[in-house]
PDB file of all heavy atoms in Angstrom:
ATOM      1  N   CYS A 302      94.860 106.550 109.328  1.00  0.00           N
ATOM      2  CA  CYS A 302      93.729 106.815 108.394  1.00  0.00           C
ATOM      3  C   CYS A 302      92.807 105.556 108.323  1.00  0.00           C
ATOM      4  O   CYS A 302      93.215 104.397 108.564  1.00  0.00           O
ATOM      5  CB  CYS A 302      94.349 106.973 107.034  1.00  0.00           C
ATOM      6  SG  CYS A 302      95.516 108.299 106.834  1.00  0.00           S
ATOM      7  N   GLY A 303      91.662 105.849 107.887  1.00  0.00           N
ATOM      8  CA  GLY A 303      90.649 104.738 107.493  1.00  0.00           C
ATOM      9  C   GLY A 303      90.394 103.758 108.795  1.00  0.00           C
ATOM     10  O   GLY A 303      90.223 104.185 109.899  1.00  0.00           O
ATOM     11  N   THR A 304      90.411 102.544 108.360  1.00  0.00           N
ATOM     12  CA  THR A 304      90.112 101.533 109.335  1.00  0.00           C
ATOM     13  C   THR A 304      91.122 101.548 110.495  1.00  0.00           C
ATOM     14  O   THR A 304      90.865 101.451 111.628  1.00  0.00           O
ATOM     15  CB  THR A 304      90.218 100.193 108.680  1.00  0.00           C
ATOM     16  OG1 THR A 304      88.964 100.016 107.860  1.00  0.00           O
ATOM     17  CG2 THR A 304      90.195  99.059 109.579  1.00  0.00           C
ATOM     18  N   SER A 305      92.372 101.881 110.126  1.00  0.00           N
ATOM     19  CA  SER A 305      93.448 101.882 111.127  1.00  0.00           C
ATOM     20  C   SER A 305      93.126 103.076 112.139  1.00  0.00           C
ATOM     21  O   SER A 305      93.502 102.919 113.241  1.00  0.00           O
ATOM     22  CB  SER A 305      94.835 102.136 110.512  1.00  0.00           C
ATOM     23  OG  SER A 305      95.121 101.163 109.684  1.00  0.00           O
ATOM     24  N   ILE A 348      99.473 103.920 113.093  1.00  0.00           N
ATOM     25  CA  ILE A 348      98.893 102.585 112.838  1.00  0.00           C
ATOM     26  C   ILE A 348      98.605 102.507 111.273  1.00  0.00           C
ATOM     27  O   ILE A 348      98.007 103.391 110.787  1.00  0.00           O
ATOM     28  CB  ILE A 348      97.624 102.426 113.601  1.00  0.00           C
ATOM     29  CG1 ILE A 348      97.805 102.728 115.132  1.00  0.00           C
ATOM     30  CG2 ILE A 348      97.016 100.966 113.497  1.00  0.00           C
ATOM     31  CD1 ILE A 348      96.490 102.771 115.918  1.00  0.00           C
ATOM     32  N   SER A 349      99.091 101.361 110.705  1.00  0.00           N
ATOM     33  CA  SER A 349      98.830 101.339 109.256  1.00  0.00           C
ATOM     34  C   SER A 349      98.974  99.869 108.751  1.00  0.00           C
ATOM     35  O   SER A 349      99.927  99.141 109.188  1.00  0.00           O
ATOM     36  CB  SER A 349      99.847 102.155 108.532  1.00  0.00           C
ATOM     37  OG  SER A 349      99.749 101.988 107.140  1.00  0.00           O
ATOM     38  N   GLN A 350      98.107  99.330 108.060  1.00  0.00           N
ATOM     39  CA  GLN A 350      98.213  98.035 107.494  1.00  0.00           C
ATOM     40  C   GLN A 350      99.453  98.022 106.479  1.00  0.00           C
ATOM     41  O   GLN A 350     100.298  97.252 106.662  1.00  0.00           O
ATOM     42  CB  GLN A 350      96.923  97.685 106.693  1.00  0.00           C
ATOM     43  CG  GLN A 350      96.880  96.239 106.157  1.00  0.00           C
ATOM     44  CD  GLN A 350      97.764  95.921 105.085  1.00  0.00           C
ATOM     45  OE1 GLN A 350      98.504  94.953 105.049  1.00  0.00           O
ATOM     46  NE2 GLN A 350      97.575  96.663 103.960  1.00  0.00           N
ATOM     47  N   SER A 351      99.412  98.888 105.662  1.00  0.00           N
ATOM     48  CA  SER A 351     100.428  98.964 104.570  1.00  0.00           C
ATOM     49  C   SER A 351     101.725  99.521 104.927  1.00  0.00           C
ATOM     50  O   SER A 351     102.789  99.204 104.423  1.00  0.00           O
ATOM     51  CB  SER A 351      99.899  99.798 103.300  1.00  0.00           C
ATOM     52  OG  SER A 351      99.741 101.091 103.708  1.00  0.00           O
ATOM     53  N   GLY A 352     101.702 100.423 105.732  1.00  0.00           N
ATOM     54  CA  GLY A 352     102.948 101.128 106.169  1.00  0.00           C
ATOM     55  C   GLY A 352     103.412 102.157 105.109  1.00  0.00           C
ATOM     56  O   GLY A 352     104.529 102.717 105.115  1.00  0.00           O
ATOM     57  N   THR A 354     100.935 104.526 103.583  1.00  0.00           N
ATOM     58  CA  THR A 354      99.845 105.524 103.435  1.00  0.00           C
ATOM     59  C   THR A 354     100.526 106.906 103.548  1.00  0.00           C
ATOM     60  O   THR A 354     101.213 107.246 104.555  1.00  0.00           O
ATOM     61  CB  THR A 354      98.668 105.298 104.506  1.00  0.00           C
ATOM     62  OG1 THR A 354      98.234 104.051 104.378  1.00  0.00           O
ATOM     63  CG2 THR A 354      97.623 106.399 104.396  1.00  0.00           C
ATOM     64  N   VAL A 401      90.281  95.162  99.599  1.00  0.00           N
ATOM     65  CA  VAL A 401      90.493  96.612  99.897  1.00  0.00           C
ATOM     66  C   VAL A 401      89.886  96.928 101.263  1.00  0.00           C
ATOM     67  O   VAL A 401      90.478  97.670 101.942  1.00  0.00           O
ATOM     68  CB  VAL A 401      89.883  97.428  98.741  1.00  0.00           C
ATOM     69  CG1 VAL A 401      89.639  98.876  99.149  1.00  0.00           C
ATOM     70  CG2 VAL A 401      90.726  97.347  97.506  1.00  0.00           C
ATOM     71  N   SER A 403      89.521  96.567 104.777  1.00  0.00           N
ATOM     72  CA  SER A 403      90.404  95.940 105.782  1.00  0.00           C
ATOM     73  C   SER A 403      89.672  95.229 106.864  1.00  0.00           C
ATOM     74  O   SER A 403      88.643  95.672 107.412  1.00  0.00           O
ATOM     75  CB  SER A 403      91.242  96.976 106.428  1.00  0.00           C
ATOM     76  OG  SER A 403      92.246  96.514 107.255  1.00  0.00           O
ATOM     77  N   GLU A 490      81.876 100.928 102.224  1.00  0.00           N
ATOM     78  CA  GLU A 490      82.931 100.675 101.347  1.00  0.00           C
ATOM     79  C   GLU A 490      82.499  99.568 100.212  1.00  0.00           C
ATOM     80  O   GLU A 490      82.696  99.726  99.076  1.00  0.00           O
ATOM     81  CB  GLU A 490      84.139 100.066 102.057  1.00  0.00           C
ATOM     82  CG  GLU A 490      85.026 101.028 102.624  1.00  0.00           C
ATOM     83  CD  GLU A 490      86.211 100.427 103.435  1.00  0.00           C
ATOM     84  OE1 GLU A 490      85.969  99.393 104.155  1.00  0.00           O
ATOM     85  OE2 GLU A 490      87.292 100.962 103.299  1.00  0.00           O
ATOM     86  N   ALA A 604      91.036 102.466  96.828  1.00  0.00           N
ATOM     87  CA  ALA A 604      92.396 101.779  96.719  1.00  0.00           C
ATOM     88  C   ALA A 604      92.848 101.265  97.980  1.00  0.00           C
ATOM     89  O   ALA A 604      92.440 101.648  99.153  1.00  0.00           O
ATOM     90  CB  ALA A 604      93.407 102.836  96.284  1.00  0.00           C
ATOM     91  N   LYS A 605      93.673 100.218  97.888  1.00  0.00           N
ATOM     92  CA  LYS A 605      93.969  99.483  99.158  1.00  0.00           C
ATOM     93  C   LYS A 605      95.120 100.296  99.948  1.00  0.00           C
ATOM     94  O   LYS A 605      95.006 100.362 101.172  1.00  0.00           O
ATOM     95  CB  LYS A 605      94.553  98.125  98.678  1.00  0.00           C
ATOM     96  CG  LYS A 605      95.159  97.320  99.881  1.00  0.00           C
ATOM     97  CD  LYS A 605      94.068  96.681 100.723  1.00  0.00           C
ATOM     98  CE  LYS A 605      94.480  95.992 101.970  1.00  0.00           C
ATOM     99  NZ  LYS A 605      93.289  95.848 102.914  1.00  0.00           N
ATOM    100  N   VAL A 607      96.924 103.822  99.940  1.00  0.00           N
ATOM    101  CA  VAL A 607      96.796 105.168  99.410  1.00  0.00           C
ATOM    102  C   VAL A 607      98.131 105.942  99.531  1.00  0.00           C
ATOM    103  O   VAL A 607      98.432 106.583 100.563  1.00  0.00           O
ATOM    104  CB  VAL A 607      95.658 105.925 100.103  1.00  0.00           C
ATOM    105  CG1 VAL A 607      95.426 107.380  99.490  1.00  0.00           C
ATOM    106  CG2 VAL A 607      94.313 105.170  99.951  1.00  0.00           C
TER     107      VAL A 607
HETATM  108  C1  G6P B 701      92.726 102.936 102.360  1.00  0.00           C
HETATM  109  C2  G6P B 701      92.104 101.446 102.442  1.00  0.00           C
HETATM  110  C3  G6P B 701      91.605 101.268 103.948  1.00  0.00           C
HETATM  111  C4  G6P B 701      92.757 101.619 104.917  1.00  0.00           C
HETATM  112  C5  G6P B 701      93.271 102.930 104.721  1.00  0.00           C
HETATM  113  C6  G6P B 701      94.461 103.206 105.601  1.00  0.00           C
HETATM  114  O1  G6P B 701      91.684 103.843 102.437  1.00  0.00           O
HETATM  115  O2  G6P B 701      91.171 101.185 101.497  1.00  0.00           O
HETATM  116  O3  G6P B 701      91.132  99.863 104.004  1.00  0.00           O
HETATM  117  O4  G6P B 701      92.102 101.417 106.242  1.00  0.00           O
HETATM  118  O5  G6P B 701      93.675 103.168 103.418  1.00  0.00           O
HETATM  119  O6  G6P B 701      95.510 102.283 105.203  1.00  0.00           O
HETATM  120  P1  G6P B 701      96.656 101.788 106.024  1.00  0.00           P
HETATM  121  O7  G6P B 701      97.431 100.800 105.101  1.00  0.00           O
HETATM  122  O8  G6P B 701      97.423 102.971 106.526  1.00  0.00           O
HETATM  123  O9  G6P B 701      96.142 101.050 107.171  1.00  0.00           O
END
Side-chain angles (χ1 to χ4, degrees):
C302 302
T304 289
S305 299
I348 308 172
S349 173
Q350 188 286 127
S351 62
T354 302
V401 164
S403 186
E490 277 179 318
K605 179 76 186 157
V607 180

